[in-house]
Amino acid sequence: MNRSQPKLQWLFLKLFLVSLFLHFHTSYSDVGTAAQYTSPYLPTVCYGGDASNFPSGNFFAAAGDGIWDNGAACGRQYFVRCISDTTPDACNQNQTILITIVDYMGQPPFAHSTYNTTMVLSNTAFKTIANSSTASSYINIEFER
């Protein structure tokens, strides 16, 4: 046996471990639920009756208690994608949107049934990530700040 062979094997093992470490992807996303709501969207807890703070593409949401952070969530942006629903093929695959928090869903006009969701998306945002075939108005989402 060649004396350099164990050194060479050790070197290959080190290179393999380093390349494995560099290719390892860490996800910083959270998983939650989202509902949808319709207009009127004003007034909001964050901006009152001022619609100028709404994003131009109408991708916005009301925050649930889990992300509200005593009002610090106002203006925060999240990448959101649909990951599942009770209806097969409910999600528009590979569709991620950027939403802005403009309201708190602990206040009217939100129905009591939406209080346990992570966020309530505008109709435009909800329909962009969920197929129209979705039977329920709730979806499971992955979101990241």
Side-chain angles (χ1 to χ4, degrees):
M1 185 165 146
N2 189 346
R3 287 177 89 72
S4 65
Q5 191 173 8
K7 289 181 183 179
L8 191 58
Q9 287 175 338
W10 183 247
L11 177 65
F12 282 127
L13 178 62
K14 284 182 181 179
L15 288 173
F16 173 75
L17 291 175
V18 167
S19 68
L20 183 66
F21 177 74
L22 292 176
H23 287 92
F24 183 72
H25 175 69
T26 304
S27 176
Y28 297 104
S29 299
D30 288 311
V31 174
T33 56
Q36 64 178 325
Y37 72 110
T38 58
S39 61
Y41 297 119
L42 294 174
T44 69
V45 174
C46 296
Y47 305 116
D50 184 7
S52 67
N53 290 303
F54 279 54
S56 60
N58 288 326
F59 290 156
F60 57 86
D65 287 329
I67 62 172
W68 178 240
D69 198 14
N70 292 323
C74 288
R76 279 188 191 156
Q77 294 186 312
Y78 291 92
F79 288 101
V80 180
R81 75 180 185 95
C82 177
I83 55 174
S84 68
D85 183 40
T86 56
T87 307
D89 300 320
C91 298
N92 289 328
Q93 297 301 318
N94 303 318
Q95 186 68 39
T96 301
I97 58 172
L98 180 65
I99 60 100
T100 303
I101 300 296
V102 298
D103 206 352
Y104 173 53
M105 64 186 204
Q107 303 279 351
F110 301 103
H112 182 45
S113 61
T114 63
Y115 288 167
N116 291 328
T117 60
T118 307
M119 61 182 70
V120 182
L121 301 170
S122 66
N123 273 343
T124 304
F126 191 90
K127 290 177 180 178
T128 301
I129 61 174
N131 287 324
S132 59
S133 65
T134 303
S136 80
S137 57
Y138 297 93
I139 56 173
N140 296 313
I141 56 168
E142 181 179 66
F143 63 100
E144 179 177 349
R145 203 167 146 197

